[in-house]
PDB file of all heavy atoms in Angstrom:
ATOM      1  N   ALA A 311      -6.778  22.342 -33.555  1.00 98.00           N
ATOM      2  CA  ALA A 311      -7.269  21.661 -34.754  1.00 98.00           C
ATOM      3  C   ALA A 311      -7.547  20.193 -34.453  1.00 98.00           C
ATOM      4  O   ALA A 311      -6.718  19.319 -34.689  1.00 98.00           O
ATOM      5  CB  ALA A 311      -6.257  21.799 -35.890  1.00 98.00           C
ATOM      6  N   PRO A 312      -8.752  19.922 -33.917  1.00 98.00           N
ATOM      7  CA  PRO A 312      -9.115  18.524 -33.659  1.00 98.00           C
ATOM      8  C   PRO A 312      -9.497  17.825 -34.962  1.00 98.00           C
ATOM      9  O   PRO A 312     -10.251  18.384 -35.759  1.00 98.00           O
ATOM     10  CB  PRO A 312     -10.327  18.626 -32.734  1.00 98.00           C
ATOM     11  CG  PRO A 312     -10.841  20.017 -32.835  1.00 98.00           C
ATOM     12  CD  PRO A 312      -9.825  20.875 -33.516  1.00 98.00           C
ATOM     13  N   VAL A 313      -8.960  16.630 -35.169  1.00 99.00           N
ATOM     14  CA  VAL A 313      -9.356  15.835 -36.340  1.00 99.00           C
ATOM     15  C   VAL A 313      -9.918  14.522 -35.805  1.00 99.00           C
ATOM     16  O   VAL A 313      -9.179  13.633 -35.397  1.00 99.00           O
ATOM     17  CB  VAL A 313      -8.154  15.565 -37.275  1.00 99.00           C
ATOM     18  CG1 VAL A 313      -8.602  14.725 -38.472  1.00 99.00           C
ATOM     19  CG2 VAL A 313      -7.527  16.877 -37.734  1.00 99.00           C
ATOM     20  N   VAL A 314     -11.238  14.444 -35.778  1.00 98.00           N
ATOM     21  CA  VAL A 314     -11.873  13.259 -35.222  1.00 98.00           C
ATOM     22  C   VAL A 314     -12.205  12.292 -36.354  1.00 98.00           C
ATOM     23  O   VAL A 314     -12.912  12.644 -37.299  1.00 98.00           O
ATOM     24  CB  VAL A 314     -13.147  13.634 -34.433  1.00 98.00           C
ATOM     25  CG1 VAL A 314     -13.872  12.372 -33.956  1.00 98.00           C
ATOM     26  CG2 VAL A 314     -12.788  14.520 -33.248  1.00 98.00           C
ATOM     27  N   GLY A 315     -11.663  11.115 -36.244  1.00 98.00           N
ATOM     28  CA  GLY A 315     -11.874  10.099 -37.264  1.00 98.00           C
ATOM     29  C   GLY A 315     -10.954   8.939 -36.980  1.00 98.00           C
ATOM     30  O   GLY A 315     -10.156   9.010 -36.047  1.00 98.00           O
ATOM     31  N   ASP A 316     -11.078   7.869 -37.756  1.00 98.00           N
ATOM     32  CA  ASP A 316     -10.094   6.805 -37.562  1.00 98.00           C
ATOM     33  C   ASP A 316      -8.804   7.257 -38.232  1.00 98.00           C
ATOM     34  O   ASP A 316      -8.818   8.023 -39.206  1.00 98.00           O
ATOM     35  CB  ASP A 316     -10.611   5.467 -38.103  1.00 98.00           C
ATOM     36  CG  ASP A 316     -10.574   5.411 -39.606  1.00 98.00           C
ATOM     37  OD1 ASP A 316     -11.562   5.855 -40.221  1.00 98.00           O
ATOM     38  OD2 ASP A 316      -9.566   4.951 -40.167  1.00 98.00           O
ATOM     39  N   ILE A 317      -7.696   6.826 -37.688  1.00 98.00           N
ATOM     40  CA  ILE A 317      -6.410   7.388 -38.109  1.00 98.00           C
ATOM     41  C   ILE A 317      -6.102   7.061 -39.568  1.00 98.00           C
ATOM     42  O   ILE A 317      -5.602   7.910 -40.312  1.00 98.00           O
ATOM     43  CB  ILE A 317      -5.298   6.931 -37.150  1.00 98.00           C
ATOM     44  CG1 ILE A 317      -5.419   7.793 -35.883  1.00 98.00           C
ATOM     45  CG2 ILE A 317      -3.912   7.082 -37.753  1.00 98.00           C
ATOM     46  CD1 ILE A 317      -4.610   7.331 -34.730  1.00 98.00           C
ATOM     47  N   ALA A 318      -6.436   5.860 -39.984  1.00 98.00           N
ATOM     48  CA  ALA A 318      -6.172   5.514 -41.382  1.00 98.00           C
ATOM     49  C   ALA A 318      -6.906   6.482 -42.306  1.00 98.00           C
ATOM     50  O   ALA A 318      -6.312   7.033 -43.251  1.00 98.00           O
ATOM     51  CB  ALA A 318      -6.589   4.077 -41.653  1.00 98.00           C
ATOM     52  N   SER A 319      -8.182   6.745 -42.024  1.00 98.00           N
ATOM     53  CA  SER A 319      -8.955   7.659 -42.876  1.00 98.00           C
ATOM     54  C   SER A 319      -8.439   9.098 -42.744  1.00 98.00           C
ATOM     55  O   SER A 319      -8.367   9.834 -43.721  1.00 98.00           O
ATOM     56  CB  SER A 319     -10.438   7.639 -42.495  1.00 98.00           C
ATOM     57  OG  SER A 319     -10.951   6.345 -42.646  1.00 98.00           O
ATOM     58  N   SER A 320      -8.094   9.491 -41.530  1.00 98.00           N
ATOM     59  CA  SER A 320      -7.654  10.869 -41.317  1.00 98.00           C
ATOM     60  C   SER A 320      -6.322  11.149 -42.012  1.00 98.00           C
ATOM     61  O   SER A 320      -6.151  12.183 -42.659  1.00 98.00           O
ATOM     62  CB  SER A 320      -7.534  11.165 -39.820  1.00 98.00           C
ATOM     63  OG  SER A 320      -8.801  11.069 -39.211  1.00 98.00           O
ATOM     64  N   VAL A 321      -5.385  10.215 -41.887  1.00 98.00           N
ATOM     65  CA  VAL A 321      -4.080  10.444 -42.512  1.00 98.00           C
ATOM     66  C   VAL A 321      -4.227  10.403 -44.032  1.00 98.00           C
ATOM     67  O   VAL A 321      -3.605  11.196 -44.757  1.00 98.00           O
ATOM     68  CB  VAL A 321      -3.030   9.436 -42.010  1.00 98.00           C
ATOM     69  CG1 VAL A 321      -1.705   9.628 -42.722  1.00 98.00           C
ATOM     70  CG2 VAL A 321      -2.834   9.591 -40.510  1.00 98.00           C
ATOM     71  N   SER A 322      -5.078   9.519 -44.507  1.00 98.00           N
ATOM     72  CA  SER A 322      -5.258   9.461 -45.950  1.00 98.00           C
ATOM     73  C   SER A 322      -5.925  10.744 -46.458  1.00 98.00           C
ATOM     74  O   SER A 322      -5.557  11.273 -47.515  1.00 98.00           O
ATOM     75  CB  SER A 322      -5.995   8.161 -46.301  1.00 98.00           C
ATOM     76  OG  SER A 322      -7.079   8.379 -47.122  1.00 98.00           O
TER      77      SER A 322
END
Side-chain angles (χ1 to χ4, degrees):
V313 179
V314 175
D316 75 273
I317 282 168
S319 300
S320 296
V321 177
S322 130

